[in-house]
Amino acid sequence: MCVAVEPIHDDAGKAGASNSVHVEMPHVIANERGDHLPELRAAIHEAITQGVDNALQRGSVLGFPVTRTKVSVTGVQFFGEALSTAAAYRACAAQALLQAFGASKPVLLEPVARISVVCGEAHVGAVLSDLNGVRKGRVLALANEDAESLGTEGAMKVVDAEVPLSTMLGYASQLRSLTAGSGTFSMEVTGFGPMPAQQQQQVIKESQGYY
């Protein structure tokens, strides 16, 4: 049995991204007498799928569930009715998948939020610098805002960005400091994104008791 894994890429890391499992089975499974065994073939297929699903629920990185992964199972062989049990195929599929993960580079995911910041034109540079640097975010758009509709004077800008949720602690206070108390923001958690490698290493060390 051969198991291959590859990432499923979606846009913006939306929540609920699922896995895909494909099992390539022999067209015919027969016993020593040559009798076709369609029911056993179906049972083996189900057992392999269950083994993969079980392994996906406990991944190789700290045992967290795996998501956004395409799993392809090929090279399934039949060794006779006595040896080819559902339990054997289930265990084999799970073990093969864990080995495939070990040969790949799985990453931890972290919550990602989309924020919209409204600030004066004079402060937009400081806001952008903070989002790109301190917040490790990604600016999506920069637009003009109608100052009159906001009841303010002077040109106003709206900055839309995507940032790791973990970096937003204390942002309200920081934004007031950056904008002399005039800036406002709204935030919505939109999904999950890859955690930076250095942060992932730190999380793994802390989880394993190494500080």
Side-chain angles (χ1 to χ4, degrees), residues 113-119 124 127-128 131-132 137-145 157-163 168 171 184-188 190:
R114 177 157 183 166
I115 69 169
S116 182
V117 182
V118 180
C119 64
V124 70
V127 169
L128 290 173
L131 289 174
N132 287 321
R138 181 169 64 97
V139 175
L140 303 175
L142 176 62
N144 296 320
E145 182 62 85
K157 295 288 186 179
V158 178
V159 181
D160 291 325
E162 196 172 67
V163 297
M168 292 301 291
Y171 184 67
T184 61
F185 79 100
S186 60
M187 179 174 67
E188 178 185 6
T190 56

Side-chain angles (χ1 to χ4, degrees), residues 15-189:
S18 59
N19 299 307
S20 171
V21 178
H22 172 70
V23 180
E24 185 177 304
M25 292 286 296
H27 292 298
V28 174
I29 287 181
N31 59 19
E32 292 80 358
R33 298 185 302 274
D35 300 325
H36 291 186
L37 305 172
E39 294 183 357
L40 181 57
R41 181 180 183 277
I44 291 174
H45 183 281
E46 182 179 359
I48 293 173
T49 303
Q50 289 176 349
V52 170
D53 288 339
N54 291 341
L56 289 172
Q57 294 304 311
R58 186 172 177 80
S60 59
V61 182
L62 299 179
F64 288 124
V66 178
T67 187
R68 301 190 206 169
T69 300
K70 178 182 179 181
V71 181
S72 300
V73 181
T74 58
V76 178
Q77 297 184 28
F78 182 65
F79 299 97
E81 294 180 77
L83 297 176
S84 300
T85 64
Y89 281 104
R90 189 180 302 111
C92 182
Q95 183 177 2
L97 181 55
L98 291 177
Q99 291 178 348
F101 282 139
S104 61
K105 296 181 179 179
V107 299
L108 292 176
L109 301 180
E110 62 177 343
V112 173
R114 177 157 183 166
I115 69 169
S116 182
V117 182
V118 180
C119 64
E121 189 172 24
H123 304 119
V124 70
V127 169
L128 290 173
S129 178
D130 179 76
L131 289 174
N132 287 321
V134 177
R135 311 297 159 186
K136 299 180 177 63
R138 181 169 64 97
V139 175
L140 303 175
L142 176 62
N144 296 320
E145 182 62 85
D146 183 4
E148 184 176 349
S149 66
L150 298 174
T152 60
E153 297 181 359
M156 301 294 290
K157 295 288 186 179
V158 178
V159 181
D160 291 325
E162 196 172 67
V163 297
L165 184 62
S166 61
T167 67
M168 292 301 291
L169 182 65
Y171 184 67
S173 298
Q174 180 66 10
L175 182 61
R176 286 195 297 270
S177 176
L178 293 172
T179 62
S182 63
T184 61
F185 79 100
S186 60
M187 179 174 67
E188 178 185 6
V189 177

Side-chain angles (χ1 to χ4, degrees), residues 183-203:
T184 61
F185 79 100
S186 60
M187 179 174 67
E188 178 185 6
V189 177
T190 56
F192 296 86
M195 183 180 291
Q198 185 175 359
Q199 183 181 352
Q200 174 171 315
Q201 292 176 359
Q202 183 63 29
V203 169

